[in-house]
Amino acid sequence: MSKHQSKTPLAQNIVNWLYPITILGLFTITIEAPLLAALLFLKISWLKVILVWLFLLPVGPVATAVIAVAGHFLHTQTPGLYVDAWRFLRQNGSEALRLWLPTWLFCLPLWAYSQGVLDERAPWLYVLIPLLFVIALVLLLLQTAVWMINANFTFQYRDYWRLAIGGFAANKLTLFANLLLVFIGFAIGAWFSPLLLIVLSTCLFVPMVALDQPLLAWVKANFIKP
């Protein structure tokens, strides 16, 4: 009798989830090392606000690479995720960066406000900042679909955002799943620590890949020629 036993379905599922989360988490931390250092070691000031905001620029390309490689792994179980993520980033980073810019621009006033460097006594903040938070939440929700589509297909710039809206309209469960994950990420970053959100980001992205398969199937069925 062989001493080696095949893995149980539960054990295999755990490996299927923990492996991409761990390896792609290492990839994310590698890219975002300057951001992590700024969050850890700089004191609250305008210098920290500006540097952290600039270091947020790679977030969009990194998120797209993580989603693309995680999706490929969940379908093929092929190892080599760290190298694959770097390869995807080199080949598709510029386009992913352009798609991230609208959301990135909204990060500056929210981040500055959260660090207390803006004058909280200004009356206009009581209206503007909550409005910006709502806009940022909606942008992040749409951004998740844009990342997902960009990680799997190639379209014109404006089409990504249109497909994100149409995909969510056609797949309500995907919309609510992404909204829940975005809210969890938003809560971790705003109420606990942006540093914690960066470290745990792949714990949100990898499940999102699995939950967003109906959205990708909708795009493929309606906008990709067979």
Side-chain angles (χ1 to χ4, degrees), residues 79-194:
L81 276 67
Y82 191 86
V83 174
D84 289 345
W86 276 106
R87 184 182 300 113
F88 184 92
L89 191 63
R90 288 196 301 270
Q91 295 175 352
N92 304 278
S94 59
E95 182 181 28
L97 180 60
R98 286 200 310 132
L99 293 168
W100 165 242
L101 286 178
T103 307
W104 176 72
L105 292 173
F106 271 90
C107 294
L108 180 59
L110 297 178
W111 171 242
Y113 180 75
S114 69
Q115 294 299 291
V117 297
L118 295 181
D119 186 0
E120 297 185 8
R121 295 171 296 178
W124 57 270
L125 284 176
Y126 291 99
V127 176
L128 182 59
I129 292 299
L131 178 62
L132 287 179
F133 268 104
V134 172
I135 294 174
L137 190 62
V138 173
L139 269 176
L140 282 172
L141 177 61
L142 291 175
Q143 188 78 68
T144 60
V146 169
W147 283 334
M148 198 66 57
I149 296 168
N150 182 225
N152 292 274
F153 308 107
T154 300
F155 292 101
Q156 296 295 323
Y157 179 84
R158 292 181 179 179
D159 290 339
Y160 286 106
W161 297 96
R162 294 172 181 172
L163 289 171
I165 295 171
F168 279 148
N171 299 274
K172 300 298 192 301
L173 289 179
T174 302
L175 168 63
F176 288 121
N178 282 35
L179 180 60
L180 177 61
L181 291 174
V182 167
F183 185 78
I184 291 172
F186 204 79
I188 293 173
W191 298 336
F192 291 95
S193 167

Side-chain angles (χ1 to χ4, degrees), residues 57-93:
L57 261 177
V59 166
V62 167
T64 306
V66 167
I67 289 170
V69 175
H72 180 71
F73 174 79
L74 292 177
H75 283 101
T76 65
Q77 305 300 304
T78 304
L81 276 67
Y82 191 86
V83 174
D84 289 345
W86 276 106
R87 184 182 300 113
F88 184 92
L89 191 63
R90 288 196 301 270
Q91 295 175 352
N92 304 278

Side-chain angles (χ1 to χ4, degrees), residues 3 13 18 31 35 39 68 72 75 88 94 96 145-146 151 156 189 209:
K3 294 182 180 179
N13 285 334
L18 288 183
I31 299 295
L35 176 59
L39 290 170
H72 180 71
H75 283 101
F88 184 92
S94 59
V146 169
Q156 296 295 323
V209 171

